[in-house]
Amino acid sequence: MSLRFVIPLLAGVALAVSAHAQELKKLKGVVELFTSQGCSSCPPADAALQKLIAQGDVVALAYHVDYWNYMGWDDTMSSKDNTARQYAYARTLGRSNVYTPQAIVNGRDHLNGADLNAINVKLDQFDHNGKGLTVPVSAALNGDELEIKIGAGNGKANVVVAYFDREQVVSVDKGENTGHKIAYMHSVSDVETVGMWDGKPMSVVLPSSVMDKAGRKGLAVLLQSATPAGDPAAIVGAAVMTVGSGE
């Protein structure tokens, strides 16, 4: 995929960055839930994620892992890549193991994914302590292009795009959740790094056709730092966009 990186230098861009900053105030942070259709403890966390999405002030994503598949039900949205991302977070956080349901908040800490109150408290704490979303980020479709705009800030980070399906309803026929019909929101199907940010305002332009693959209905842009080993770390900016009818 060919990418075009644009470093905006025109005076008009300052107005755009200011507008993006206003949009940023609406977002408290990013919650990434690691879950599985085969995990009996996960449905409450899946429901909590729906509430986070409904709040409108959180970028909330679900990553279905594959290590529960041996229990008799293959999660229809699970992938090795999602599992690998969770283990990468474990290395970043100095942990030797992973679990479900696990919520990673702003790439900085983890909590039980079903504890909605604790998650919101953690988001508020990070925001108050300067560990929230401090860099303005936006994403918008413009004709046949998808433009991601990022404002100024400190440090360096990757521009990561997580593509997701807005909602899928699954009837689980085997495993620990046998007989349950569960609605899953914002389940990530693919993650890719589309650029690098060095603290200066920039834009990344992608073909809008990226939204057509595998029936994607939304995406989240994560401005995410990395450890020296390349594992995901603190998220300093984010935006979310859905297409079509629905939420």
Side-chain angles (χ1 to χ4, degrees):
M1 178 183 296
S2 62
L3 306 178
R4 185 166 87 247
F5 301 90
V6 182
I7 307 299
L9 298 175
L10 301 177
V13 173
L15 295 176
V17 171
S18 176
H20 298 159
Q22 291 176 359
E23 293 172 7
L24 180 68
K25 295 177 182 178
K26 300 176 183 178
L27 293 176
K28 294 202 299 184
V30 178
V31 175
E32 297 174 271
L33 173 67
F34 291 89
T35 185
S36 173
Q37 296 169 11
C39 159
S40 61
S41 300
C42 288
D46 300 320
L49 190 82
Q50 291 189 39
K51 292 179 180 178
L52 283 170
I53 294 169
Q55 284 181 198
D57 59 359
V58 178
V59 177
L61 302 169
Y63 297 81
H64 288 244
V65 298
D66 66 352
Y67 50 81
W68 281 97
N69 291 356
Y70 77 96
M71 294 291 289
W73 175 257
D74 287 349
D75 187 311
T76 59
M77 291 174 277
S78 66
S79 73
K80 292 181 179 179
D81 289 340
N82 289 345
T83 299
R85 184 170 177 82
Q86 187 181 23
Y87 272 97
Y89 269 130
R91 291 190 293 271
T92 297
L93 299 175
R95 294 179 53 82
S96 60
N97 65 332
V98 296
Y99 64 93
T100 56
Q102 182 183 39
I104 302 294
V105 181
N106 290 1
R108 296 177 182 270
D109 204 352
H110 71 100
L111 296 165
N112 183 328
D115 195 337
L116 182 61
N117 182 67
I119 291 171
N120 272 310
V121 168
K122 180 64 68 174
L123 286 165
D124 289 337
Q125 288 175 344
F126 280 153
D127 186 51
H128 179 74
N129 295 329
K131 296 180 179 180
L133 304 182
T134 58
V135 180
V137 177
S138 69
L141 289 172
N142 183 16
D144 60 356
E145 294 182 336
L146 168 66
E147 184 172 18
I148 298 167
K149 294 184 178 182
I150 303 169
N154 298 316
K156 296 181 179 181
N158 295 321
V159 183
V160 178
V161 178
Y163 301 96
F164 61 81
D165 295 308
R166 188 163 51 230
E167 181 178 8
Q168 292 188 54
V169 179
V170 177
S171 295
V172 182
D173 296 330
K174 297 179 182 179
E176 293 189 353
N177 290 317
T178 298
H180 291 270
K181 190 174 183 179
I182 305 172
Y184 294 101
M185 304 288 292
H186 288 202
S187 299
V188 173
S189 59
D190 190 21
V191 177
E192 63 178 343
T193 299
V194 299
M196 296 184 67
W197 173 80
D198 63 359
K200 299 176 182 178
M202 67 176 288
S203 293
V204 180
V205 179
L206 304 174
S208 61
S209 58
V210 297
M211 297 300 296
D212 299 331
K213 298 178 181 179
R216 294 166 175 166
K217 295 299 182 182
L219 63 82
V221 180
L222 309 178
L223 191 61
Q224 184 162 40
S225 61
T227 68
D231 291 325
I235 296 171
V236 297
V240 65
M241 182 184 73
T242 57
V243 297
S245 61
E247 58 180 87

